[in-house]
Amino acid sequence: MLANYLIGLREGLEAALVVSILVAYLVKTERRHLLPRIWLGVAVAIALSVAVTLGLGLQSRKFTFETQELIGGTLSLVAVAFVTWMIFWMAGAARTIGSELRGRIDVAADGRAWSLVVVAFLAVGREGLETALILWTNTQAAIGRDLAPTAQQTAEPLVAALAGILTAVVLGYLIYRGAVSINLTRFFTWTGAFLVVVAAGVLAYGVHDLQEAGFLPGLHTLAFDVSHIIAPGSWYGTLLKGVFNFSPATTVLEAIAWVAYVVPVSYLFFRMTRRRTAASSHPTPVPEGSNL
């Protein structure tokens, strides 16, 4: 699924860039003996992210349908908040992330032995926990909580996300080695614009979950129903559902939530992007290593 691959790629690339900056700075400043602390923090962050992902999957099977919908809808809203924060944070921090991380390393390296472990854990763990929550929400939306998922249905979103993360790891290593150079500002702009639409779909799906749980009204009040044109079981219906969480039968409240999210968030995002582009066109000094 394209949405899960892109989320895995984007979140994985953020984490890979963070690790690359941490490792490169320690190597450059002749502090290789501190590298094991970085890898320990990364390992703990990955283990925690995997545990959260498995825990969400196992726990969701023990609830009643209404409870499942209520929890799923709530987590969808949390996932939307995470995605929105991620989009705007990367839009503003792409050029300064290197200098910020190097400052944290200098402070941590002069402190206690576990300080660098914490820096690496927090830097990577945030991405991992965001990815776990977002992927769980997308997977539930793709297979439908009211259906008995088959192994293939549950595996596809996770495989797509894993492929995106592995791609990000390779890109991060190549960037660290200087083998490739990509325009991170452009990359995060395009993926950010795409994720605005993805997040809007997750929000609409979360609203639908809360309607099915009886928490929100209007479950049977439809804004439109194009099921006769876009059949839910067709390949294009499945594609739209998997990537954008599009539902052929959309309630009025879902449609309102989608529009109410896309319009202001898109406006603010592209406004920030234009300001950043205008600022980068001036000959202001750029911190060393900020292209990572």
Side-chain angles (χ1 to χ4, degrees), residues 166-182:
L166 292 177
T167 303
V169 171
V170 173
L171 286 175
Y173 176 76
L174 292 177
I175 292 174
Y176 169 74
R177 300 296 300 178
V180 299
S181 177
I182 62 175

Side-chain angles (χ1 to χ4, degrees), residues 212-261:
E212 289 193 327
F215 186 78
L216 292 177
L219 177 60
H220 302 293
T221 305
L222 298 181
F224 58 84
D225 186 353
V226 293
S227 301
H228 59 290
I229 300 175
I230 304 177
S234 63
W235 67 267
Y236 46 90
T238 302
L239 181 64
L240 289 173
K241 182 67 174 178
V243 177
F244 299 109
N245 282 301
F246 173 78
S247 175
T250 297
T251 67
V252 172
L253 198 55
E254 285 181 77
I256 292 175
W258 193 93
V259 174
Y261 179 87

